[in-house]
Amino acid sequence: MLCYNGLGDLMKYHELLQTAKSLLNEQPSTLSLLSNATAFINDMIPDLNWVGFYLYDGESLQVGPFQGHVACSTIPLGKGVCGEAAIKNKTIVIPDVLVHTNHIACDTNSRSEVVVPLYLAHKLYGVLDMDSPSFNRFNDTLVRFLEEFAEIIIKQLTNHTL
Ligand code: SME
């Protein structure tokens, strides 16, 4: 049976990816690329309270461009959802952060979270982290969209040197 909401979401996400490709292709620097990427997600995806990057400096993750309240500056590898996604090189979806022990509570409004790792040429670059005030905000379709969005960023990053 067709799920029309699901189909509507798929079409919306497909269009958003096309727009994101154009927008991110026009960014003159890594900083503008990452900054506008967070603004785009914040504008286009409802019900988020934080979206941003943590960037790997060779030792730990450091907060990068983001939209939302003040956040933790440094996250050790393996710590929190960000640190876990970074070392596992795997998207991690947390439907309820209140029952996930390896979660760093930067914003007490957060209820669910998704973290997509960014690897460039098999090397950890950082993570894209999104929080929502709603329980179980990140369904499979949205997660797939965010992973494809992250792939566009990775492709653009390979064209930038900073
Ligand atoms: N909750 C994250 C920390 C970053 S904030 O959400 C902005 C984590 O557990 O890694």
Side-chain angles (χ1 to χ4, degrees):
M1 189 174 137
L2 272 181
C3 169
Y4 288 102
N5 277 344
L7 193 59
D9 280 351
L10 274 180
M11 288 167 67
K12 181 182 80 182
Y13 292 146
H14 178 75
E15 282 172 20
L16 285 180
L17 287 170
Q18 299 314 310
T19 309
K21 272 181 197 158
S22 309
L23 171 76
L24 300 179
N25 190 40
E26 290 166 2
Q27 303 307 313
S29 70
T30 300
L31 191 56
S32 50
L33 170 70
L34 298 180
S35 301
N36 269 331
T38 63
F40 182 81
I41 293 293
N42 197 46
D43 281 347
M44 299 301 171
I45 306 298
D47 201 22
L48 300 180
N49 59 305
W50 203 90
V51 49
F53 293 95
Y54 278 90
L55 305 176
Y56 184 55
D57 67 358
E59 191 179 330
S60 50
L61 296 168
Q62 308 292 348
V63 75
F66 69 92
Q67 310 271 314
H69 290 304
V70 169
C72 329
S73 308
T74 302
I75 298 179
L77 287 185
K79 299 288 180 197
V81 187
C82 290
E84 199 178 328
I87 52 167
K88 289 184 175 164
N89 189 10
K90 183 172 162 281
T91 298
I92 299 186
V93 182
I94 306 294
D96 186 354
V97 299
L98 301 180
V99 296
H100 185 75
T101 47
N102 193 18
H103 168 256
I104 301 166
C106 289
D107 184 341
T108 51
N109 287 324
S110 299
R111 186 71 199 278
S112 56
E113 178 165 10
V114 59
V115 179
V116 182
L118 305 172
Y119 273 71
L120 258 67
H122 307 291
K123 286 190 180 158
L124 176 62
Y125 181 84
V127 300
L128 174 59
D129 178 23
M130 281 141 293
D131 290 3
S132 168
S134 298
F135 167 75
N136 202 16
R137 170 69 182 94
F138 303 100
N139 61 32
D140 289 351
T141 317
L142 177 52
V143 170
R144 186 61 206 134
F145 161 77
L146 294 169
E147 289 178 332
E148 287 186 34
F149 183 78
E151 280 168 26
I152 296 170
I153 293 167
I154 288 167
K155 204 169 173 192
Q156 289 301 325
L157 283 168
T158 57
N159 299 332
H160 289 231
T161 48
L162 243 185

Coordinates of all heavy atoms in Angstrom, one line a residue, residues 50 54 71-72 75 79-83 102-107 110 113 115 129 131, ligand 1:
W50 N 18.9 22.1 16.9 CA 20.4 22.3 16.7 C 20.8 21.6 15.5 O 20.4 20.4 15.3 CB 21.2 21.8 17.9 CG 22.5 22.4 18.1 CD1 22.8 23.5 18.8 CD2 23.8 22.0 17.5 NE1 24.2 23.8 18.7 CE2 24.8 22.8 17.9 CE3 24.1 20.9 16.7 CZ2 26.1 22.7 17.6 CZ3 25.4 20.7 16.3 CH2 26.4 21.6 16.8
Y54 N 30.8 19.1 13.9 CA 32.0 19.0 14.8 C 33.1 18.5 13.9 O 32.9 17.6 13.1 CB 31.7 18.0 15.9 CG 31.0 18.6 17.1 CD1 29.6 18.6 17.1 CD2 31.6 19.3 18.1 CE1 28.9 19.2 18.1 CE2 31.0 19.9 19.1 CZ 29.6 19.9 19.2 OH 28.9 20.5 20.2
A71 N 26.9 25.5 22.2 CA 27.1 24.0 22.3 C 28.4 23.7 22.9 O 29.3 24.6 23.1 CB 27.0 23.4 20.9
C72 N 28.6 22.4 23.3 CA 29.9 22.0 23.8 C 31.0 22.2 22.7 O 30.7 22.0 21.6 CB 29.9 20.5 24.1 SG 28.3 19.8 24.5
I75 N 34.6 17.5 21.8 CA 34.0 16.2 22.1 C 35.1 15.1 21.8 O 35.5 15.0 20.7 CB 32.7 15.9 21.3 CG1 31.6 16.9 21.6 CG2 32.3 14.4 21.6 CD1 30.3 16.7 20.9
K79 N 33.1 9.6 22.7 CA 32.2 10.2 23.7 C 31.0 10.8 23.0 O 31.1 11.4 21.9 CB 32.9 11.3 24.5 CG 34.1 10.8 25.3 CD 33.7 9.9 26.4 CE 34.9 9.4 27.2 NZ 34.6 8.3 28.1
G80 N 29.8 10.6 23.6 CA 28.6 11.2 23.1 C 28.2 10.5 21.8 O 29.0 9.6 21.2
V81 N 27.1 10.9 21.2 CA 26.6 10.4 19.9 C 27.6 10.8 18.8 O 27.9 10.0 17.9 CB 25.2 10.8 19.7 CG1 24.6 10.1 18.4 CG2 24.3 10.6 20.9
C82 N 28.1 12.0 18.9 CA 29.0 12.5 17.9 C 30.3 11.7 17.9 O 30.8 11.3 16.8 CB 29.3 14.0 18.2 SG 28.0 15.1 17.9
G83 N 30.9 11.5 19.1 CA 32.1 10.8 19.1 C 32.0 9.3 18.7 O 32.9 8.7 18.2
N102 N 25.2 7.1 26.3 CA 26.4 7.8 25.7 C 25.9 9.0 25.0 O 26.0 9.1 23.7 CB 27.2 6.9 24.8 CG 28.5 7.5 24.4 OD1 29.0 8.5 25.1 ND2 29.1 7.0 23.4
H103 N 25.3 10.0 25.7 CA 24.7 11.2 25.0 C 25.2 12.4 25.9 O 25.2 12.4 27.1 CB 23.2 11.2 25.0 CG 22.6 12.5 24.7 ND1 22.0 13.3 25.6 CD2 22.5 13.1 23.5 CE1 21.6 14.4 25.0 NE2 21.9 14.3 23.7
I104 N 25.7 13.4 25.2 CA 26.2 14.6 25.9 C 25.0 15.6 25.7 O 24.7 16.0 24.6 CB 27.5 15.2 25.2 CG1 28.6 14.1 25.3 CG2 27.9 16.5 25.9 CD1 29.8 14.4 24.5
A105 N 24.5 16.1 26.8 CA 23.3 17.0 26.8 C 23.8 18.4 26.7 O 24.1 19.1 27.7 CB 22.5 16.8 28.0
C106 N 23.9 18.9 25.5 CA 24.4 20.3 25.3 C 23.2 21.2 25.4 O 23.3 22.3 25.9 CB 25.0 20.5 23.9 SG 26.6 19.8 23.7
D107 N 22.0 20.8 24.9 CA 20.8 21.6 24.9 C 19.7 20.7 25.5 O 19.4 19.7 25.0 CB 20.5 22.0 23.4 CG 19.2 22.9 23.3 OD1 18.5 22.9 24.3 OD2 19.1 23.5 22.3
S110 N 16.8 19.1 23.6 CA 16.9 18.0 22.7 C 16.3 16.7 23.2 O 16.5 16.3 24.4 CB 18.4 17.7 22.4 OG 19.0 18.8 21.9
E113 N 18.1 12.6 18.2 CA 19.3 13.1 17.6 C 19.7 12.2 16.5 O 19.5 11.0 16.5 CB 20.4 13.2 18.7 CG 21.8 13.6 18.2 CD 22.7 14.0 19.3 OE1 22.4 13.7 20.5 OE2 23.8 14.5 19.0
V115 N 23.4 11.7 14.0 CA 24.8 12.1 13.7 C 25.2 11.4 12.5 O 25.2 10.1 12.5 CB 25.7 11.9 14.9 CG1 27.1 12.4 14.5 CG2 25.3 12.7 16.1
D129 N 25.7 16.9 13.0 CA 24.9 16.6 14.1 C 23.6 17.3 14.1 O 23.6 18.6 13.8 CB 25.7 16.9 15.4 CG 24.9 16.7 16.7 OD1 24.0 15.8 16.7 OD2 25.3 17.3 17.7
D131 N 19.8 17.8 16.2 CA 18.9 17.5 17.4 C 17.5 18.0 17.1 O 17.3 19.1 16.5 CB 19.5 18.3 18.6 CG 20.8 17.7 19.1 OD1 21.3 16.8 18.5 OD2 21.3 18.2 20.1
Ligands
SME1 N1 24.5 15.5 21.9 C1 25.8 15.4 21.3 C2 26.6 16.6 21.6 C3 26.5 17.8 20.7 S1 25.1 18.7 21.0 O1 24.0 17.9 20.6 C4 25.2 20.0 20.0 C5 26.4 14.1 21.6 O2 25.9 13.4 22.4 O3 27.5 13.9 21.0

